[in-house]
Amino acid sequence: EVRLVESGGGSVQAGGSLRLSCSVSGNLGRWYCLGWFRQAPEKEREQVARICKCGDGRSFAADSVQGRASISHEFGSSTVDLQMNRMKPDDTAMYFCAARSSPQCRIWTLPHEYTDWGQGTQVTVSS
C-alpha cells in the first residue's frame, strides 16, 4: 500500500509563489508515476504536473501552468514537490498528490488512472 501526505498549502496573493510537498511511503515498485492534481469547486479534477519513472523520466506540466509550475522528485526518494510561481486566482483549488505503479513502463495521465491519493491541501490565491 502506498500512502501520500501533502503539505504546504495555504493562502497567497496573486503573483506569489507556493511550494507543495508530498511525502510518499510504501513500495512504488520498478515503474511508477507521481502526479499533482487539483480540483476547484464545481470543476473536474485536472492534472497539474507529473513525473514518471519510465522512459526518459521527463516531467510534464499542464498548459494552464506551463512556465509557472515544476515538479521535482528523485527516483527512489520519498518526496515529490510542486513549485508554483506567478500564481493566479485561477490556481485556487484543492491540490492532491497521487501515485500509480505498474508492472511495465507506462505514462499515466488521467485522474482515474491513479490508484493512490493523498487527502489534499487547499491553495487559495487572492487578487
Side-chain angles (χ1 to χ4, degrees):
E1 180 184 1
V2 176
R3 185 167 178 262
L4 304 107
V5 179
E6 304 94 339
S7 62
S11 297
V12 63
Q13 288 193 328
S17 298
L18 214 56
R19 188 174 185 87
L20 306 181
S21 186
C22 177
S23 173
V24 184
S25 59
N27 184 15
L28 287 171
R30 181 180 181 186
W31 309 112
Y32 61 86
C33 289
L34 292 171
W36 280 95
F37 294 79
R38 67 185 181 186
Q39 187 165 18
E42 301 182 343
K43 290 189 176 180
E44 292 187 356
R45 190 168 295 190
E46 63 171 351
Q47 188 172 70
V48 178
R50 70 167 181 267
I51 186 166
C52 296
K53 187 176 181 290
C54 179
D56 61 11
R58 281 183 297 178
S59 61
F60 162 86
D63 289 344
S64 57
V65 298
Q66 192 66 242
R68 302 189 297 116
S70 62
I71 187 170
S72 57
H73 167 71
E74 288 193 25
F75 297 125
S77 74
S78 59
T79 59
V80 54
D81 294 344
L82 179 70
Q83 177 70 39
M84 295 280 293
N85 300 320
R86 301 191 304 280
M87 297 189 74
K88 306 174 181 180
D90 283 349
D91 294 323
T92 296
M94 184 72 80
Y95 283 70
F96 299 89
C97 176
R100 170 68 190 259
S101 299
S102 61
Q104 57 191 11
C105 176
R106 182 170 170 177
I107 306 298
W108 304 97
T109 61
L110 300 175
H112 74 265
E113 295 175 328
Y114 284 71
T115 53
D116 301 286
W117 291 83
Q119 293 298 309
T121 185
Q122 178 67 38
V123 171
T124 303
V125 184
S126 57
S127 57

